[in-house]
Amino acid sequence: MNSPDHLDLDHFTAAPQRRIGSQALIRDEKGGILLFESRRRVERGDVLTWNLPGGCARGGEDPQAACRRRIQEKSGLLIEPGKLLVMHWQPPKDGTVEGHNYVWDGGVISSHTECQLATDEVTQYRFVPRKQLTAFARDSLVERIDAALGRGHNGYLAGHAG
């Protein structure tokens, strides 16, 4: 029988590989949600190509700092991620390792805010009303956004939607 005195040190000292994603829920004055269209998803031929601002953390990088850095790199926006709204664990799928996606409160900015897009990563941006999200985003992202908005979730999601 295993007890805390008999921890499997291999899993502690040589942990399995994981992805860390860090995004911000940024809204405009009307409640629209800022989305970026991913060039990689467009070029891959995906049907739903939009995502929240943010991206992957580097090894050893704090997820909140990664969110700030990736938003600035992709858009030129200086957003200070606030309160953690959601942590979404996703199992391995389609050749990817498991991952955690953090969603931070990115606050409210004007719908007239101009982004200086890193065109190698983002093709366009827009504020999307919640009721139109399914036309832009994968089910798992809509579920993540709903959780960030406090719609029926406790701030933790597990798995892939749909």
Side-chain angles (χ1 to χ4, degrees), residues 35-46 48-52 74 118-125 136 138:
L35 297 180
F36 290 169
E37 186 175 45
S38 165
R39 177 168 301 286
R40 178 178 51 86
R41 290 180 189 269
V42 170
E43 290 173 353
R44 196 168 64 193
D46 291 2
L48 301 170
T49 56
W50 296 78
N51 211 339
L52 288 171
K74 289 181 178 182
T119 57
D120 59 326
E121 293 192 64
V122 180
T123 60
Q124 57 183 316
Y125 65 98
F136 294 86
R138 303 172 320 280

Side-chain angles (χ1 to χ4, degrees), residues 62-84:
D62 173 270
Q64 200 170 31
C67 183
R68 180 183 318 108
R69 175 183 59 78
R70 292 300 288 147
I71 291 172
Q72 185 174 9
E73 289 173 353
K74 289 181 178 182
S75 68
L77 295 176
L78 298 173
I79 299 292
E80 186 57 42
K83 176 181 155 186
L84 179 64

